[in-house]
Amino acid sequence: MRFLKLMCLIAGLMPTVAFAEAPKQRKIKDAVPGEASVGRLMVNGNAMCTGALVSPDLVLTAAHCLYDPNSGRRVAPDVIEFQAGLRNGKASAVRRVKSTMQHPEYRHVRKGTAQVGHDLALLRLTRPIDSNAVLPMAQDVRLGSGDMLGVLSYTIGNRNDPVLEYPCRVLATQHQTLVMSCDVDFGASGAPVLALTNGKNPSLVSVVSARAAMGGRTVSVGTTLTAEALQQMMRGG
């Protein structure tokens, strides 16, 4: 998880509305829709991100999770492990990664202001997982200021159990960059941003890229899903 000082970018995106306080993160005590599809990603047994199963053998996450945080080099796929449905330290399925595909326009920056808007990657697993655990995606969704979302993630404070941040709000959008009031923590990179409305099943609309500072407050930045980007990643893989 990156912490970015994106004040200039966010100020340019922000509409003229009051900023609402982000709610506290809550540890999940009861099962929620989509929980089985979300898992912890371990890279080299150390670095941690979050990912979501979007087909029986594909996991969606953030592209910067494919890079060693110290060297800035892209890691080999076989050092990444997806622990699906991890709860109380026990996963419903554990798989190694066979290949990785990042957004074709993503360029990794080791230090400084990171690229946003293209921070997406697909991980192909060595073996598929139950198709019942797949989280549906909503591509090319037009999110607007004030829309309600939820983020389901694993963090350094809750490594063995998922944390649901809900409700949080869309603050601004531009192209594929999404600024949200969701108060995520380190480890939430790649976590699914979910549209959860009226008791309907959740749909994945974005992926968490970073925490960011805005006016002394912490917000989160995500990359929205487009059919074109997903198709390009699939072709690349």
Side-chain angles (χ1 to χ4, degrees):
M1 168 60 64
R2 298 176 169 193
F3 192 99
L4 307 177
K5 291 188 176 180
L6 300 177
M7 285 82 75
C8 294
L9 169 65
I10 294 173
L13 297 178
M14 279 295 294
T16 55
V17 296
F19 183 88
E21 286 288 343
K24 299 289 184 181
Q25 288 185 341
R26 298 187 297 276
K27 191 172 181 178
I28 293 177
K29 296 180 180 179
D30 301 311
V32 297
E35 180 184 349
S37 66
V38 180
R40 186 175 71 179
L41 283 171
M42 298 302 296
V43 183
N44 275 325
N46 188 8
M48 188 179 80
C49 283
T50 302
L53 199 69
V54 294
S55 83
D57 67 342
L58 285 177
V59 172
L60 184 69
T61 189
H64 76 261
C65 294
L66 305 182
Y67 292 81
D68 186 285
N70 297 314
S71 68
R73 296 177 181 176
R74 190 161 171 172
V75 300
D78 60 4
V79 303
I80 307 174
E81 183 178 83
F82 180 61
Q83 302 165 345
L86 186 71
R87 190 165 182 166
N88 297 322
K90 296 181 179 179
S92 59
V94 177
R95 298 288 189 273
R96 287 283 179 176
V97 172
K98 180 168 62 175
S99 61
T100 60
M101 303 148 279
Q102 70 182 34
H103 192 294
E105 296 183 43
Y106 178 78
R107 301 293 180 268
H108 189 69
V109 179
R110 182 181 173 188
K111 294 181 180 180
T113 302
Q115 185 184 42
V116 295
H118 306 303
D119 196 6
L120 294 174
L122 285 171
L123 317 179
R124 190 173 296 280
L125 305 177
T126 53
R127 289 184 294 121
I129 296 176
D130 187 354
S131 59
N132 291 326
V134 171
L135 187 65
M137 291 185 290
Q139 304 163 30
D140 299 311
V141 174
R142 294 186 179 182
L143 296 169
S145 177
D147 285 352
M148 303 301 288
L149 303 169
V151 174
L152 189 57
S153 67
Y154 293 86
T155 68
I156 56 172
N158 290 278
R159 298 174 63 91
N160 297 317
D161 292 280
V163 172
L164 177 65
E165 173 76 355
Y166 178 82
C168 52
R169 229 174 250 283
V170 174
L171 299 177
T173 62
Q174 183 175 339
H175 304 300
Q176 277 70 62
T177 301
L178 179 67
V179 181
M180 305 166 285
S181 66
C182 312
D183 187 10
V184 298
D185 203 352
F186 292 95
S189 285
V193 178
L194 307 172
L196 291 164
T197 56
N198 301 325
K200 296 180 180 179
N201 289 333
S203 57
L204 199 165
V205 295
S206 177
V207 165
V208 172
S209 180
R211 304 170 76 196
M214 185 187 70
R217 302 174 186 268
T218 300
V219 296
S220 52
V221 180
T223 300
T224 56
L225 304 182
T226 67
E228 181 182 7
L230 292 167
Q231 289 166 3
Q232 287 177 325
M233 286 191 288
M234 289 296 295
R235 287 197 296 268

